[in-house]
Amino acid sequence: MPTIILKTMINAPIARCFDLARSIDLHVQSMQSSGEKAIAGKKSGLISINESVTWQAKHFGILFKMTNRISTLKYPTFFIDEMIMGPFKKLHHQHLFKTIGSQTEMTDIFEFEAPFGIAGWLAEKVFLKKYLLKLIEKRNEVIKFQAEL
């Protein structure tokens, strides 16, 4: 299963980074390029344990819907969101936070599996992993910017 691991250093307290990473509103702001919006479940504010959100966005010219649920949360160091319905065969996203000196290290461990057997596997290898990495990097840039204000 493809895995993306991304570390982002942020000059802000761990609790602020943790809360910004759970912000539905900030996520929508960071995904403006795909027109992503929350259409069901938790639609604004901070998402928490056992809550879900249904996202709608356009990627590759196709409108997608995906419902993710926060399955694990330990404030302010760790939470996991998992796709419970949507376009992937599997999606599991760990968000880890650690204080290092006066900074927060935010680590994303993003595991996914495309549907459609060999065609999905080929899409993962050719473009999907790179595309998803760019989305996570953009999201993290917005979190970092907001946290460091």
Side-chain angles (χ1 to χ4, degrees), residues 7-110:
K7 291 184 182 287
T8 306
M9 295 303 295
I10 303 173
N11 293 311
I14 192 170
R16 179 161 172 73
C17 299
F18 187 86
D19 285 345
L20 288 169
R22 296 184 302 131
S23 171
I24 302 289
D25 307 296
L26 193 64
H27 183 85
V28 168
Q29 181 184 332
S30 73
M31 294 292 133
Q32 287 179 351
S33 63
S34 62
E36 192 158 329
K37 57 186 174 182
I39 60 169
K42 182 81 172 176
K43 294 194 278 186
S44 67
L46 300 181
I47 195 163
S48 195
I49 187 75
N50 295 323
E51 291 183 325
S52 64
V53 56
T54 300
W55 301 105
Q56 179 177 287
K58 189 176 268 192
H59 298 280
F60 311 111
I62 302 166
L63 194 62
F64 290 96
K65 288 183 184 177
M66 178 170 68
T67 301
N68 287 29
R69 179 179 162 271
I70 303 297
S71 60
T72 306
L73 186 145
K74 182 179 179 192
Y75 186 86
T77 59
F78 181 74
F79 72 94
I80 296 173
D81 70 87
E82 299 178 89
M83 185 192 78
I84 55 176
M85 187 173 61
F88 292 94
K89 187 173 179 181
K90 181 178 182 178
L91 189 148
H92 183 268
H93 189 175
Q94 296 178 60
H95 306 258
L96 309 162
F97 301 83
K98 178 169 55 171
T99 299
I100 299 177
S102 63
Q103 295 186 309
T104 298
E105 179 185 73
M106 181 173 71
T107 303
D108 293 272
I109 303 172
F110 188 91

